[in-house]
Short mmCIF file of all heavy atoms in Angstrom, two decimals:
data_model
loop_
_atom_site.label_atom_id
_atom_site.label_comp_id
_atom_site.label_asym_id
_atom_site.label_seq_id
_atom_site.Cartn_x
_atom_site.Cartn_y
_atom_site.Cartn_z
N SER A 125 104.97 -23.27 54.41
CA SER A 125 106.22 -23.01 55.13
C SER A 125 106.43 -23.99 56.28
O SER A 125 107.56 -24.17 56.74
CB SER A 125 106.24 -21.57 55.66
OG SER A 125 105.23 -21.38 56.63
N ARG A 126 105.37 -24.65 56.71
CA ARG A 126 105.47 -25.64 57.79
C ARG A 126 105.36 -27.07 57.28
O ARG A 126 105.88 -28.00 57.90
CB ARG A 126 104.37 -25.36 58.82
CG ARG A 126 104.59 -24.04 59.55
CD ARG A 126 103.28 -23.48 60.09
NE ARG A 126 103.52 -22.31 60.95
CZ ARG A 126 103.67 -21.07 60.47
NH1 ARG A 126 103.60 -20.84 59.17
NH2 ARG A 126 103.88 -20.07 61.30
N ARG A 127 104.66 -27.25 56.17
CA ARG A 127 104.48 -28.57 55.57
C ARG A 127 104.72 -28.45 54.07
O ARG A 127 103.80 -28.17 53.30
CB ARG A 127 103.05 -29.08 55.84
CG ARG A 127 102.67 -29.23 57.29
CD ARG A 127 103.35 -30.45 57.93
NE ARG A 127 102.84 -30.67 59.28
CZ ARG A 127 103.33 -30.09 60.37
NH1 ARG A 127 104.34 -29.22 60.26
NH2 ARG A 127 102.82 -30.34 61.56
N PRO A 128 105.95 -28.66 53.61
CA PRO A 128 106.25 -28.48 52.19
C PRO A 128 105.47 -29.39 51.25
O PRO A 128 105.40 -29.11 50.05
CB PRO A 128 107.75 -28.78 52.11
CG PRO A 128 108.26 -28.49 53.49
CD PRO A 128 107.15 -28.90 54.41
N ALA A 129 104.85 -30.44 51.80
CA ALA A 129 104.01 -31.30 50.96
C ALA A 129 102.68 -30.62 50.61
O ALA A 129 101.98 -31.09 49.71
CB ALA A 129 103.73 -32.62 51.67
N TYR A 130 102.36 -29.55 51.30
CA TYR A 130 101.10 -28.84 51.04
C TYR A 130 101.15 -28.19 49.66
O TYR A 130 102.19 -27.67 49.23
CB TYR A 130 100.85 -27.78 52.11
CG TYR A 130 99.60 -26.97 51.85
CD1 TYR A 130 98.37 -27.43 52.28
CD2 TYR A 130 99.66 -25.76 51.16
CE1 TYR A 130 97.22 -26.70 52.04
CE2 TYR A 130 98.52 -25.03 50.91
CZ TYR A 130 97.29 -25.50 51.35
OH TYR A 130 96.16 -24.79 51.09
N ARG A 131 99.99 -28.19 48.98
CA ARG A 131 99.86 -27.51 47.71
C ARG A 131 98.62 -26.62 47.72
O ARG A 131 97.65 -26.91 48.42
CB ARG A 131 99.75 -28.53 46.56
CG ARG A 131 101.08 -29.21 46.24
CD ARG A 131 102.10 -28.21 45.74
NE ARG A 131 103.42 -28.78 45.46
CZ ARG A 131 104.42 -28.79 46.32
NH1 ARG A 131 104.25 -28.30 47.56
NH2 ARG A 131 105.59 -29.28 45.99
N PRO A 132 98.67 -25.51 46.97
CA PRO A 132 97.50 -24.61 46.93
C PRO A 132 96.22 -25.39 46.63
O PRO A 132 96.20 -26.28 45.78
CB PRO A 132 97.85 -23.64 45.79
CG PRO A 132 99.36 -23.59 45.83
CD PRO A 132 99.78 -24.99 46.16
N GLY A 133 95.18 -25.02 47.35
CA GLY A 133 93.91 -25.73 47.23
C GLY A 133 93.76 -26.86 48.22
O GLY A 133 92.69 -27.46 48.31
N GLY A 134 94.82 -27.15 48.98
CA GLY A 134 94.77 -28.27 49.91
C GLY A 134 93.78 -28.12 51.04
O GLY A 134 93.39 -29.11 51.67
N MET A 135 93.36 -26.88 51.31
CA MET A 135 92.37 -26.67 52.38
C MET A 135 90.94 -26.91 51.92
O MET A 135 90.04 -27.00 52.75
CB MET A 135 92.46 -25.23 52.93
CG MET A 135 93.54 -25.03 53.94
SD MET A 135 93.24 -23.56 54.95
CE MET A 135 93.02 -22.30 53.70
N ARG A 136 90.72 -26.97 50.63
CA ARG A 136 89.34 -27.02 50.15
C ARG A 136 88.56 -28.25 50.64
O ARG A 136 87.40 -28.11 51.05
CB ARG A 136 89.31 -26.94 48.62
CG ARG A 136 89.79 -25.59 48.11
CD ARG A 136 89.50 -25.40 46.64
NE ARG A 136 88.07 -25.24 46.40
CZ ARG A 136 87.55 -24.86 45.23
NH1 ARG A 136 88.36 -24.61 44.21
NH2 ARG A 136 86.26 -24.75 45.09
N PRO A 137 89.12 -29.47 50.59
CA PRO A 137 88.32 -30.60 51.09
C PRO A 137 87.87 -30.47 52.54
O PRO A 137 86.67 -30.60 52.82
CB PRO A 137 89.26 -31.80 50.86
CG PRO A 137 90.13 -31.38 49.72
CD PRO A 137 90.37 -29.91 49.95
N PRO A 138 88.78 -30.20 53.50
CA PRO A 138 88.28 -30.06 54.88
C PRO A 138 87.40 -28.84 55.09
O PRO A 138 86.54 -28.84 55.97
CB PRO A 138 89.55 -29.98 55.72
CG PRO A 138 90.62 -29.55 54.79
CD PRO A 138 90.26 -30.11 53.46
N LEU A 139 87.59 -27.80 54.28
CA LEU A 139 86.82 -26.57 54.44
C LEU A 139 85.46 -26.67 53.77
O LEU A 139 84.43 -26.33 54.38
CB LEU A 139 87.61 -25.40 53.86
CG LEU A 139 86.93 -24.02 53.86
CD1 LEU A 139 86.68 -23.54 55.27
CD2 LEU A 139 87.79 -23.02 53.09
N GLU A 140 85.42 -27.13 52.53
CA GLU A 140 84.19 -27.06 51.74
C GLU A 140 83.42 -28.37 51.67
O GLU A 140 82.22 -28.36 51.39
CB GLU A 140 84.53 -26.59 50.32
CG GLU A 140 85.16 -25.21 50.29
CD GLU A 140 85.55 -24.75 48.90
OE1 GLU A 140 85.31 -25.52 47.94
OE2 GLU A 140 86.10 -23.65 48.77
N ARG A 141 84.10 -29.49 51.93
CA ARG A 141 83.41 -30.78 51.83
C ARG A 141 83.14 -31.38 53.20
O ARG A 141 82.01 -31.74 53.53
CB ARG A 141 84.25 -31.75 50.99
CG ARG A 141 83.54 -33.05 50.64
CD ARG A 141 84.48 -33.99 49.90
NE ARG A 141 85.20 -33.29 48.83
CZ ARG A 141 86.40 -33.66 48.39
NH1 ARG A 141 87.02 -34.72 48.94
NH2 ARG A 141 86.99 -32.99 47.42
N HIS A 142 84.19 -31.47 54.03
CA HIS A 142 84.04 -32.14 55.32
C HIS A 142 83.60 -31.21 56.43
O HIS A 142 83.23 -31.68 57.52
CB HIS A 142 85.36 -32.82 55.69
CG HIS A 142 85.89 -33.74 54.64
ND1 HIS A 142 85.16 -34.80 54.15
CD2 HIS A 142 87.06 -33.73 53.95
CE1 HIS A 142 85.87 -35.42 53.21
NE2 HIS A 142 87.03 -34.79 53.07
N ARG A 143 83.68 -29.90 56.21
CA ARG A 143 83.26 -28.88 57.18
C ARG A 143 84.01 -29.02 58.50
O ARG A 143 83.46 -28.76 59.58
CB ARG A 143 81.74 -28.94 57.42
CG ARG A 143 80.90 -28.79 56.15
CD ARG A 143 81.20 -27.52 55.41
NE ARG A 143 80.31 -27.34 54.24
CZ ARG A 143 80.47 -26.40 53.32
NH1 ARG A 143 81.48 -25.55 53.40
NH2 ARG A 143 79.64 -26.30 52.31
N ALA A 144 85.28 -29.40 58.40
CA ALA A 144 86.14 -29.43 59.59
C ALA A 144 86.71 -28.05 59.88
O ALA A 144 87.28 -27.82 60.95
CB ALA A 144 87.27 -30.43 59.40
N LEU A 145 86.57 -27.13 58.93
CA LEU A 145 87.04 -25.76 59.05
C LEU A 145 85.91 -24.83 58.61
O LEU A 145 84.99 -25.26 57.93
CB LEU A 145 88.25 -25.52 58.15
CG LEU A 145 89.46 -26.47 58.30
CD1 LEU A 145 90.42 -26.30 57.13
CD2 LEU A 145 90.17 -26.22 59.63
N PHE A 146 86.00 -23.57 59.01
CA PHE A 146 85.06 -22.57 58.50
C PHE A 146 85.79 -21.26 58.32
O PHE A 146 86.86 -21.03 58.89
CB PHE A 146 83.84 -22.42 59.41
CG PHE A 146 84.07 -21.66 60.70
CD1 PHE A 146 83.58 -20.37 60.86
CD2 PHE A 146 84.74 -22.25 61.77
CE1 PHE A 146 83.77 -19.67 62.05
CE2 PHE A 146 84.92 -21.56 62.97
CZ PHE A 146 84.44 -20.26 63.10
N GLU A 147 85.23 -20.40 57.50
CA GLU A 147 85.83 -19.10 57.24
C GLU A 147 85.06 -18.02 57.97
O GLU A 147 83.85 -17.91 57.84
CB GLU A 147 85.84 -18.79 55.74
CG GLU A 147 86.47 -17.42 55.44
CD GLU A 147 86.55 -17.11 53.95
OE1 GLU A 147 86.49 -18.05 53.13
OE2 GLU A 147 86.69 -15.91 53.61
N HIS A 148 85.78 -17.25 58.76
CA HIS A 148 85.16 -16.09 59.40
C HIS A 148 86.24 -15.09 59.78
O HIS A 148 87.32 -15.08 59.19
CB HIS A 148 84.28 -16.48 60.58
CG HIS A 148 83.11 -15.55 60.72
ND1 HIS A 148 83.14 -14.43 61.52
CD2 HIS A 148 81.90 -15.55 60.12
CE1 HIS A 148 81.99 -13.78 61.41
NE2 HIS A 148 81.22 -14.43 60.55
N TRP A 149 85.97 -14.28 60.77
CA TRP A 149 86.80 -13.13 61.09
C TRP A 149 87.56 -13.35 62.37
O TRP A 149 87.00 -13.81 63.38
CB TRP A 149 85.90 -11.89 61.23
CG TRP A 149 86.57 -10.61 60.81
CD1 TRP A 149 87.08 -9.65 61.63
CD2 TRP A 149 86.77 -10.14 59.48
NE1 TRP A 149 87.60 -8.62 60.88
CE2 TRP A 149 87.42 -8.89 59.55
CE3 TRP A 149 86.48 -10.65 58.22
CZ2 TRP A 149 87.77 -8.14 58.43
CZ3 TRP A 149 86.82 -9.93 57.10
CH2 TRP A 149 87.46 -8.68 57.21
N THR A 150 88.86 -13.06 62.35
CA THR A 150 89.62 -12.86 63.59
C THR A 150 89.98 -11.38 63.56
O THR A 150 89.11 -10.54 63.72
CB THR A 150 90.87 -13.78 63.63
OG1 THR A 150 91.66 -13.58 62.45
CG2 THR A 150 90.46 -15.23 63.72
N HIS A 151 91.24 -11.04 63.32
CA HIS A 151 91.59 -9.65 63.04
C HIS A 151 91.35 -9.35 61.57
O HIS A 151 91.39 -8.19 61.14
CB HIS A 151 93.06 -9.38 63.40
CG HIS A 151 94.00 -10.29 62.67
ND1 HIS A 151 94.17 -11.61 63.02
CD2 HIS A 151 94.79 -10.10 61.59
CE1 HIS A 151 95.03 -12.18 62.21
NE2 HIS A 151 95.42 -11.28 61.32
N ASP A 152 91.14 -10.41 60.79
CA ASP A 152 90.85 -10.31 59.36
C ASP A 152 90.19 -11.63 58.97
O ASP A 152 90.01 -12.52 59.80
CB ASP A 152 92.15 -10.08 58.56
CG ASP A 152 91.92 -9.23 57.32
OD1 ASP A 152 90.93 -9.50 56.62
OD2 ASP A 152 92.70 -8.30 57.07
N ALA A 153 89.82 -11.77 57.70
CA ALA A 153 89.22 -13.02 57.24
C ALA A 153 90.21 -14.16 57.45
O ALA A 153 91.38 -14.05 57.09
CB ALA A 153 88.82 -12.91 55.78
N SER A 154 89.74 -15.27 58.02
CA SER A 154 90.62 -16.37 58.40
C SER A 154 89.91 -17.70 58.25
O SER A 154 88.68 -17.77 58.27
CB SER A 154 91.09 -16.21 59.85
OG SER A 154 91.78 -15.00 60.04
N ILE A 155 90.70 -18.76 58.15
CA ILE A 155 90.19 -20.13 58.19
C ILE A 155 90.43 -20.66 59.59
O ILE A 155 91.55 -20.62 60.11
CB ILE A 155 90.89 -21.02 57.15
CG1 ILE A 155 90.76 -20.42 55.75
CG2 ILE A 155 90.31 -22.43 57.20
CD1 ILE A 155 89.34 -20.23 55.26
N ILE A 156 89.35 -21.18 60.21
CA ILE A 156 89.32 -21.49 61.64
C ILE A 156 88.79 -22.91 61.82
O ILE A 156 87.89 -23.32 61.09
CB ILE A 156 88.40 -20.48 62.37
CG1 ILE A 156 88.80 -19.04 62.03
CG2 ILE A 156 88.40 -20.71 63.88
CD1 ILE A 156 87.70 -18.03 62.30
N PRO A 157 89.30 -23.67 62.79
CA PRO A 157 88.73 -24.99 63.05
C PRO A 157 87.24 -24.91 63.39
O PRO A 157 86.82 -24.06 64.18
CB PRO A 157 89.55 -25.50 64.25
CG PRO A 157 90.86 -24.79 64.12
CD PRO A 157 90.51 -23.42 63.60
N ALA A 158 86.45 -25.81 62.81
CA ALA A 158 85.00 -25.77 63.02
C ALA A 158 84.63 -25.95 64.48
O ALA A 158 83.61 -25.42 64.93
CB ALA A 158 84.33 -26.84 62.16
N GLU A 159 85.44 -26.67 65.23
CA GLU A 159 85.11 -26.91 66.64
C GLU A 159 85.06 -25.61 67.45
O GLU A 159 84.46 -25.57 68.52
CB GLU A 159 86.11 -27.87 67.26
CG GLU A 159 87.53 -27.32 67.31
CD GLU A 159 88.58 -28.38 67.60
OE1 GLU A 159 88.79 -28.67 68.80
OE2 GLU A 159 89.16 -28.90 66.64
N PHE A 160 85.68 -24.54 66.94
CA PHE A 160 85.66 -23.26 67.64
C PHE A 160 84.41 -22.45 67.31
O PHE A 160 84.19 -21.40 67.93
CB PHE A 160 86.89 -22.43 67.27
CG PHE A 160 88.21 -23.07 67.57
CD1 PHE A 160 89.38 -22.59 66.99
CD2 PHE A 160 88.31 -24.17 68.42
CE1 PHE A 160 90.61 -23.18 67.25
CE2 PHE A 160 89.54 -24.77 68.69
CZ PHE A 160 90.68 -24.28 68.10
N PHE A 161 83.62 -22.90 66.36
CA PHE A 161 82.48 -22.12 65.88
C PHE A 161 81.55 -21.65 67.00
O PHE A 161 81.12 -20.48 66.99
CB PHE A 161 81.69 -22.92 64.84
CG PHE A 161 80.44 -22.23 64.37
CD1 PHE A 161 80.49 -21.27 63.38
CD2 PHE A 161 79.20 -22.53 64.93
CE1 PHE A 161 79.33 -20.62 62.94
CE2 PHE A 161 78.04 -21.90 64.51
CZ PHE A 161 78.10 -20.94 63.52
N PRO A 162 81.19 -22.49 67.98
CA PRO A 162 80.26 -22.00 69.02
C PRO A 162 80.76 -20.73 69.71
O PRO A 162 79.94 -19.88 70.11
CB PRO A 162 80.16 -23.18 69.98
CG PRO A 162 80.41 -24.38 69.12
CD PRO A 162 81.47 -23.93 68.15
N HIS A 163 82.06 -20.57 69.87
CA HIS A 163 82.58 -19.38 70.54
C HIS A 163 82.45 -18.13 69.67
O HIS A 163 82.53 -17.01 70.20
CB HIS A 163 84.02 -19.60 70.96
CG HIS A 163 84.17 -20.65 72.02
ND1 HIS A 163 83.60 -20.52 73.28
CD2 HIS A 163 84.79 -21.87 72.00
CE1 HIS A 163 83.89 -21.59 74.00
NE2 HIS A 163 84.60 -22.42 73.25
N TRP A 164 82.27 -18.32 68.37
CA TRP A 164 82.06 -17.16 67.50
C TRP A 164 80.67 -16.55 67.69
O TRP A 164 80.40 -15.47 67.18
CB TRP A 164 82.32 -17.54 66.05
CG TRP A 164 83.65 -17.03 65.58
CD1 TRP A 164 83.88 -16.08 64.64
CD2 TRP A 164 84.94 -17.39 66.09
NE1 TRP A 164 85.23 -15.83 64.52
CE2 TRP A 164 85.90 -16.63 65.40
CE3 TRP A 164 85.38 -18.29 67.05
CZ2 TRP A 164 87.26 -16.73 65.64
CZ3 TRP A 164 86.72 -18.40 67.29
CH2 TRP A 164 87.65 -17.62 66.60
N ARG A 165 79.81 -17.20 68.46
CA ARG A 165 78.50 -16.62 68.78
C ARG A 165 78.66 -15.28 69.47
O ARG A 165 77.83 -14.37 69.28
CB ARG A 165 77.69 -17.57 69.67
CG ARG A 165 77.25 -18.85 68.99
CD ARG A 165 76.13 -18.61 68.02
NE ARG A 165 75.68 -19.83 67.36
CZ ARG A 165 74.81 -19.86 66.36
NH1 ARG A 165 74.34 -18.70 65.88
NH2 ARG A 165 74.46 -21.00 65.82
N LEU A 166 79.70 -15.15 70.27
CA LEU A 166 79.94 -13.88 70.96
C LEU A 166 80.23 -12.79 69.94
O LEU A 166 79.72 -11.66 70.04
CB LEU A 166 81.10 -14.02 71.94
CG LEU A 166 81.47 -12.77 72.74
CD1 LEU A 166 80.29 -12.30 73.60
CD2 LEU A 166 82.70 -13.03 73.61
N ARG A 167 81.07 -13.08 68.94
CA ARG A 167 81.35 -12.11 67.89
C ARG A 167 80.09 -11.77 67.10
O ARG A 167 79.83 -10.61 66.80
CB ARG A 167 82.41 -12.66 66.94
CG ARG A 167 82.76 -11.70 65.82
CD ARG A 167 83.74 -12.30 64.84
NE ARG A 167 85.03 -12.56 65.45
CZ ARG A 167 85.96 -11.64 65.65
NH1 ARG A 167 85.73 -10.38 65.31
NH2 ARG A 167 87.10 -11.95 66.20
N PHE A 168 79.31 -12.80 66.76
CA PHE A 168 78.09 -12.55 65.99
C PHE A 168 77.19 -11.56 66.73
O PHE A 168 76.66 -10.61 66.15
CB PHE A 168 77.32 -13.85 65.76
CG PHE A 168 78.08 -14.91 65.02
CD1 PHE A 168 77.72 -16.25 65.14
CD2 PHE A 168 79.14 -14.60 64.18
CE1 PHE A 168 78.39 -17.24 64.46
CE2 PHE A 168 79.84 -15.59 63.49
CZ PHE A 168 79.46 -16.92 63.64
N ALA A 169 77.01 -11.80 68.02
CA ALA A 169 76.10 -10.95 68.81
C ALA A 169 76.62 -9.53 68.90
O ALA A 169 75.85 -8.56 68.77
CB ALA A 169 75.92 -11.55 70.20
N ARG A 170 77.90 -9.38 69.11
CA ARG A 170 78.47 -8.04 69.26
C ARG A 170 78.51 -7.30 67.93
O ARG A 170 78.27 -6.10 67.87
CB ARG A 170 79.84 -8.12 69.91
CG ARG A 170 79.77 -8.58 71.36
CD ARG A 170 81.13 -8.71 72.00
NE ARG A 170 80.99 -9.03 73.42
CZ ARG A 170 82.00 -9.19 74.27
NH1 ARG A 170 83.25 -9.03 73.83
NH2 ARG A 170 81.79 -9.48 75.54
N ASP A 171 78.84 -8.02 66.85
CA ASP A 171 78.91 -7.36 65.55
C ASP A 171 77.54 -6.96 65.02
O ASP A 171 77.44 -6.05 64.20
CB ASP A 171 79.61 -8.27 64.54
CG ASP A 171 81.13 -8.22 64.66
OD1 ASP A 171 81.63 -7.41 65.47
OD2 ASP A 171 81.81 -8.98 63.96
N ARG A 172 76.51 -7.63 65.47
CA ARG A 172 75.16 -7.29 65.02
C ARG A 172 74.86 -5.82 65.29
O ARG A 172 74.30 -5.11 64.44
CB ARG A 172 74.12 -8.19 65.71
CG ARG A 172 72.70 -8.00 65.21
CD ARG A 172 71.76 -9.00 65.89
NE ARG A 172 72.07 -10.37 65.53
CZ ARG A 172 71.54 -10.99 64.47
NH1 ARG A 172 70.69 -10.34 63.67
NH2 ARG A 172 71.86 -12.24 64.20
N THR A 173 75.26 -5.35 66.45
CA THR A 173 75.04 -3.95 66.81
C THR A 173 76.16 -3.06 66.29
O THR A 173 75.91 -1.99 65.71
CB THR A 173 74.93 -3.81 68.34
OG1 THR A 173 73.85 -4.61 68.80
CG2 THR A 173 74.70 -2.36 68.74
N LEU A 174 77.39 -3.50 66.49
CA LEU A 174 78.55 -2.68 66.14
C LEU A 174 78.60 -2.36 64.65
O LEU A 174 78.75 -1.20 64.25
CB LEU A 174 79.83 -3.39 66.57
CG LEU A 174 81.14 -2.72 66.18
CD1 LEU A 174 81.31 -1.41 66.92
CD2 LEU A 174 82.32 -3.65 66.47
N LEU A 175 78.47 -3.39 63.82
CA LEU A 175 78.61 -3.18 62.38
C LEU A 175 77.42 -2.44 61.79
O LEU A 175 77.58 -1.67 60.84
CB LEU A 175 78.81 -4.51 61.66
CG LEU A 175 80.09 -5.27 61.99
CD1 LEU A 175 80.20 -6.53 61.14
CD2 LEU A 175 81.32 -4.40 61.81
N ALA A 176 76.24 -2.66 62.35
CA ALA A 176 75.06 -1.95 61.84
C ALA A 176 75.27 -0.45 61.96
O ALA A 176 74.97 0.32 61.04
CB ALA A 176 73.81 -2.39 62.58
N ALA A 177 75.81 -0.03 63.10
CA ALA A 177 76.05 1.40 63.31
C ALA A 177 77.23 1.89 62.48
O ALA A 177 77.17 2.95 61.85
CB ALA A 177 76.30 1.66 64.80
N ARG A 178 78.31 1.11 62.44
CA ARG A 178 79.53 1.54 61.75
C ARG A 178 79.31 1.59 60.24
O ARG A 178 79.72 2.53 59.57
CB ARG A 178 80.66 0.59 62.10
CG ARG A 178 81.99 0.95 61.46
CD ARG A 178 83.04 -0.08 61.83
NE ARG A 178 83.35 -0.07 63.26
CZ ARG A 178 84.08 -1.00 63.87
NH1 ARG A 178 84.55 -2.03 63.16
NH2 ARG A 178 84.33 -0.93 65.16
N TRP A 179 78.66 0.57 59.71
CA TRP A 179 78.52 0.49 58.26
C TRP A 179 77.52 1.50 57.70
O TRP A 179 77.55 1.78 56.50
CB TRP A 179 78.15 -0.93 57.85
CG TRP A 179 79.33 -1.88 57.93
CD1 TRP A 179 80.55 -1.62 58.51
CD2 TRP A 179 79.40 -3.21 57.44
NE1 TRP A 179 81.37 -2.71 58.41
CE2 TRP A 179 80.70 -3.71 57.76
CE3 TRP A 179 78.51 -4.05 56.79
CZ2 TRP A 179 81.10 -5.00 57.43
CZ3 TRP A 179 78.91 -5.32 56.45
CH2 TRP A 179 80.19 -5.80 56.76
N LYS A 180 76.66 2.02 58.53
CA LYS A 180 75.77 3.09 58.05
C LYS A 180 76.57 4.30 57.63
O LYS A 180 76.16 5.06 56.75
CB LYS A 180 74.77 3.47 59.15
CG LYS A 180 73.64 2.47 59.32
CD LYS A 180 72.69 2.91 60.43
CE LYS A 180 71.58 1.88 60.63
NZ LYS A 180 70.67 2.28 61.72
N ASN A 181 77.74 4.48 58.24
CA ASN A 181 78.59 5.62 57.89
C ASN A 181 79.59 5.26 56.78
O ASN A 181 80.02 6.13 56.03
CB ASN A 181 79.36 6.09 59.13
CG ASN A 181 78.44 6.60 60.22
OD1 ASN A 181 77.42 7.22 59.94
ND2 ASN A 181 78.79 6.32 61.46
N TRP A 182 79.96 3.98 56.69
CA TRP A 182 81.00 3.57 55.76
C TRP A 182 80.47 3.10 54.41
O TRP A 182 81.18 3.18 53.42
CB TRP A 182 81.83 2.43 56.37
CG TRP A 182 82.68 2.84 57.51
CD1 TRP A 182 82.75 4.07 58.10
CD2 TRP A 182 83.60 2.01 58.22
NE1 TRP A 182 83.65 4.06 59.14
CE2 TRP A 182 84.20 2.80 59.24
CE3 TRP A 182 83.99 0.68 58.11
CZ2 TRP A 182 85.15 2.30 60.12
CZ3 TRP A 182 84.92 0.19 58.99
CH2 TRP A 182 85.51 0.98 59.97
N ARG A 183 79.25 2.55 54.40
CA ARG A 183 78.73 1.95 53.19
C ARG A 183 77.61 2.80 52.60
O ARG A 183 77.13 3.75 53.22
CB ARG A 183 78.16 0.55 53.48
CG ARG A 183 79.06 -0.33 54.32
CD ARG A 183 80.36 -0.69 53.63
NE ARG A 183 81.13 -1.66 54.40
CZ ARG A 183 82.40 -1.92 54.21
NH1 ARG A 183 83.07 -1.28 53.27
NH2 ARG A 183 83.04 -2.81 54.94
N ARG A 184 77.21 2.38 51.42
CA ARG A 184 76.07 3.08 50.81
C ARG A 184 74.80 2.78 51.58
O ARG A 184 74.64 1.71 52.18
CB ARG A 184 75.91 2.63 49.35
CG ARG A 184 76.97 3.21 48.43
CD ARG A 184 76.57 2.98 46.99
NE ARG A 184 77.47 2.08 46.31
CZ ARG A 184 77.22 1.54 45.12
NH1 ARG A 184 76.10 1.80 44.51
NH2 ARG A 184 78.10 0.74 44.56
#
Side-chain angles (χ1 to χ4, degrees):
S125 65
R126 293 155 172 84
R127 300 286 187 273
Y130 177 85
R131 286 296 177 266
M135 278 200 307
R136 294 192 70 169
L139 177 64
E140 299 178 1
R141 189 184 314 152
H142 306 303
R143 304 303 184 190
L145 306 167
F146 75 106
E147 180 178 340
H148 213 268
W149 212 257
T150 54
H151 57 284
D152 212 315
S154 301
I155 305 301
I156 307 160
E159 64 194 276
F160 301 164
F161 176 82
H163 293 298
W164 257 246
R165 292 286 181 188
L166 180 61
R167 180 184 295 280
F168 301 157
R170 292 178 175 181
D171 279 355
R172 185 176 294 271
T173 301
L174 175 67
L175 295 184
R178 181 182 294 169
W179 285 11
K180 283 180 182 179
N181 297 323
W182 290 4
R183 313 295 186 196
R184 286 193 246 168

